[in-house]
Structures are given as C-alpha cells and as structure tokens.
Amino acid sequence: EDGVYVFTTENFEEGIGLSDHVLVEFYAPWCGHCKALAPEYSAAALKLAEEGSKVILAKVDATVETELAKKFAIKGYPTLKFFALKTPIEFGGGRKADEIVEWLKKKTGPPAEELKD
C-alpha cells in the first residue's frame, strides 16, 4: 500500500527476511497518531524506493495480528521497530518522512566516511 508492505502473522518472518533492514509500524486503525503518521510513512517508503534503497517499510495492524503485537511487546500505537538482520530495535527517529529517511540512512549507511586531506 503506497510503497509500504503489509505484514501479517502468516508472512511476517518472510517479510523481515526480504531485506537486511526493515522498519515495521505496529498500528491500530482507530489511532489518531497512526492516521497522522500514515502519509509520512508512505512518503518515506516512496522516497527510499526512488533513491534505490534496499530498506523496506512495512506495517502491521496490531489489533488484528495480536500474536505479533504480544511477541514484540507492543503497548501503544504507533510503535515502530527497526529490524536489522531480523533483530528488532526501537525506532528513535521523528515522525515526518524526511526524519524517518534520515534516521534509516544513519542506521544503514556506511559506518564511517574517510576524510581526505
């Protein structure tokens, strides 16, 4: 949907295996903050795709996929988890498209840049 993968209990493991880096939003359809994030999240996914990034953005309806929500200790919505090689960490970026992209680039880019004299 709009550049964002939809993960369910059935396809979650396969989904986070599609790339070394996957950002997953656990959301509730009735949540106002989730509704506000949706267009920004989609814009971030589309921007990454345009840039040729291998990072995948996905979402999980935590009100339907309750086992996944329980497995990842989702307590509020939206909760974003970043999976690097299938290992989750908390997302620490902002909620605007550019902030999401910037955070992901920091986490997935080269560890350091060599400075030239």
Side-chain angles (χ1 to χ4, degrees):
E1 291 182 11
D2 296 323
V4 177
Y5 287 73
V6 178
F7 288 172
T8 63
T9 303
E10 289 74 34
N11 71 2
F12 190 83
E13 285 301 319
E14 178 185 349
I16 62 170
L18 292 172
S19 175
D20 289 348
H21 304 106
V22 182
L23 182 62
V24 180
E25 174 200 5
F26 293 85
Y27 73 97
W30 45 259
C31 164
H33 292 293
C34 301
K35 289 177 185 175
L37 176 62
E40 297 291 334
Y41 198 66
S42 293
L46 294 172
K47 181 170 179 147
L48 288 165
E50 283 173 12
E51 293 177 1
S53 173
K54 299 207 181 315
V55 177
I56 289 175
L57 271 61
K59 62 183 179 179
V60 172
D61 182 342
T63 66
V64 173
E65 308 300 337
T66 54
E67 288 304 310
L68 283 176
K70 195 180 301 178
K71 179 178 180 178
F72 294 106
I74 306 303
K75 303 272 189 255
Y77 308 112
T79 295
L80 286 86
K81 299 233 181 225
F82 179 67
F83 291 81
L85 299 173
K86 296 189 174 186
T87 302
I89 64 168
E90 292 298 322
F91 174 77
R95 300 298 170 108
K96 298 288 182 199
D98 289 344
E99 295 167 337
I100 294 167
V101 170
E102 184 179 316
W103 190 89
L104 289 169
K105 284 182 176 177
K106 284 181 183 172
K107 292 294 180 189
T108 62
E113 285 187 31
E114 187 176 327
L115 298 175
K116 304 284 185 205
D117 291 334

